[in-house]
């Protein structure tokens, strides 16, 4: 294998089994886009406060009916009681959509009920009791605006240990970002700490530059002028759209499977499910040529 062909081969491996994200209200968008999404794709269903349980259930059921693997989110701090968690898990189990879930602390600074973080949900023991077999947890290559790095690392290590204790498979889905240096450095730290879980690197699908910057600001993601230029857009010109082409090619050029372990991609569909899936199909076909 020559040096010239290595990045493309690695990029193809990274792109295989990429996952997508939708909200409960994106069912019409999923129906519109599904023909261009590979069967078996993992599709995360977010847990928005503005959406009720039935809306989330319908999204997960639709994803399954279309031949995808639904991954419903569980937002720990939005759960008002243990009964609410059990109601959610029971509903997912009844629908056949609850084998894989993504557990995250969630946005509220004050928990609405007894679960203050993802660890408390995982540690409850309720997930396997309701048929959950795989749990995704969150990773933050560029840190979190409200949590210091030491606490983030303690939490990640504790959750990985707790998943193993409950005999649950798992992976880590990272927040999106624009800085490959941060992503690669973070993955190396994960492995140095003995965490062997597969990692899905969060990637912003193609979207308007203004929207990308707005989301980055909301989640505490760095958008320095240098990083923005490297990614492919300018902070002085927010018109137009940007895709992750450069980011993915650089990531592939620096990803060493023997060193970094299992790594795949998770796309945040800020520009819409169809736009992201079509971009992903075109980009993947271009890499294969």
């Amino acid at each position: 294998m020559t040096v010239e062909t290595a990045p493309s081969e690695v990029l193809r491996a990274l792109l295989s089994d990429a996952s997508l994200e939708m909200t409960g209200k994106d069912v019409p968008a999923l129906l519109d886009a599904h023909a261009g999404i590979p069967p078996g794709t993992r599709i995360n269903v977010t847990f928005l406060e503005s959406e009720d349980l039935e809306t989330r259930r319908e999204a997960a059921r639709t994803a399954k009916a279309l031949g995808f693997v639904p991954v419903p989110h569980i937002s720990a701090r939005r759960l008002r009681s243990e009964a609410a968690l059990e109601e959610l898990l029971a509903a997912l189990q009844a629908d056949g959509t609850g084998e894989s879930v993504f557990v995250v602390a969630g946005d509220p600074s004050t928990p609405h009920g007894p679960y203050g973080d993802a660890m408390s949900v995982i540690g409850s023991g309720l997930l396997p009791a309701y048929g959950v077999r795989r749990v995704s947890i969150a990773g933050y290559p560029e840190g979190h605006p409200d949590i210091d790095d030491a606490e983030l690392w303690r939490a990640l290590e504790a959750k990985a240990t707790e998943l193993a204790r409950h005999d649950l498979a798992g992976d880590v889905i990272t927040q999106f970002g624009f800085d490959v240096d941060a992503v690669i450095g973070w993955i190396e730290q994960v492995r140095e700490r003995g965490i062997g879980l597969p990692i899905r690197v969060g990637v912003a699908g193609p979207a308007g530059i203004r929207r990308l910057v707005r989301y980055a600001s909301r989640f505490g993601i760095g958008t320095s002028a240098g990083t923005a230029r490297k990614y492919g857009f300018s902070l002085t010109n927010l018109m137009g759209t940007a895709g992750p082409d450069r980011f993915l090619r650089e990531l592939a050029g620096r990803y060493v499977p023997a060193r970094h372990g299992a790594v795949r991609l998770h796309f945040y569909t800020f520009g819409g499910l169809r736009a992201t899936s079509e971009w992903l199909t075109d980009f993947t076909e271009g890499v294969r040529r």
Side-chain angles (χ1 to χ4, degrees):
M1 183 172 65
T2 66
V3 173
E4 288 76 15
T5 60
S8 291
E9 291 187 9
V10 174
L11 185 50
R12 284 196 293 271
L14 284 173
L15 288 164
S16 66
D17 190 34
S19 53
L20 300 169
E21 189 147 319
M22 67 179 291
T23 71
K25 294 175 182 175
D26 282 337
V27 168
L30 181 61
L31 291 169
D32 179 55
H34 81 275
I37 303 173
T41 294
R42 292 165 60 85
I43 299 187
N44 285 34
V45 180
T46 59
F47 191 119
L48 299 180
E49 190 170 30
S50 60
E51 296 176 349
D52 60 18
L53 174 57
E54 184 53 36
T55 301
R56 300 181 198 112
R57 289 181 70 179
E58 178 61 20
R61 287 192 298 255
T62 301
K64 181 181 179 182
L66 293 172
F68 308 125
V69 177
V71 184
H73 287 200
I74 299 175
S75 179
R77 293 177 186 165
R78 295 195 189 283
L79 296 168
R80 297 191 177 276
S81 64
E82 182 177 298
L85 174 57
E86 294 203 65
E87 180 187 12
L88 170 59
L89 293 172
L92 297 175
Q93 185 178 42
D95 294 340
T97 59
E99 287 195 5
S100 297
V101 299
F102 175 70
V103 183
V104 66
D107 293 335
S109 56
T110 301
H112 295 172
Y115 304 106
D117 52 25
M119 179 65 178
S120 60
V121 171
I122 298 168
S124 72
L126 290 172
L127 301 182
Y130 282 90
V132 175
R133 298 291 175 261
R134 173 176 289 274
V135 178
S136 298
I137 55 178
Y140 301 92
E142 295 190 41
H144 190 288
D146 301 318
I147 307 172
D148 66 52
D149 287 348
E151 178 56 32
L152 287 174
W153 285 116
R154 282 194 295 270
L156 186 62
E157 291 170 338
K159 286 182 285 189
T161 299
E162 195 69 8
L163 289 178
R165 189 172 78 84
H166 289 283
D167 198 26
L168 289 164
D171 55 30
V172 184
I173 299 178
T174 78
Q175 183 57 271
F176 79 96
F178 306 123
D179 187 352
V180 171
D181 288 341
V183 171
I184 289 293
W186 181 85
I187 292 174
E188 290 177 350
Q189 288 191 66
V190 170
R191 301 313 184 206
E192 288 168 3
R193 290 170 181 268
I195 301 171
L197 294 173
I199 294 170
R200 287 183 176 270
V201 173
V203 179
I209 295 171
R210 191 181 301 277
R211 175 174 290 185
L212 290 176
V213 172
R214 184 170 69 247
Y215 275 107
S217 175
R218 175 182 171 186
F219 294 115
I221 294 162
T223 53
S224 68
T227 299
R229 270 198 312 274
K230 195 173 182 182
Y231 191 83
F233 64 85
S234 169
L235 295 179
T236 60
N237 182 5
L238 300 180
M239 303 300 292
T241 63
D245 312 49
R246 296 185 188 180
F247 176 89
L248 294 179
R249 291 189 184 280
E250 183 181 350
L251 180 65
R254 297 176 60 183
Y255 167 51
V256 181
R259 180 177 183 182
H260 300 128
V263 175
R264 291 295 183 266
L265 304 173
H266 176 75
F267 284 86
Y268 293 90
T269 55
F270 301 135
L273 272 165
R274 183 164 186 170
T276 300
S277 62
E278 289 179 347
W279 180 94
L280 183 55
T281 296
D282 292 343
F283 185 72
T284 302
E285 289 178 354
V287 171
R288 287 173 179 161
R289 295 191 190 107

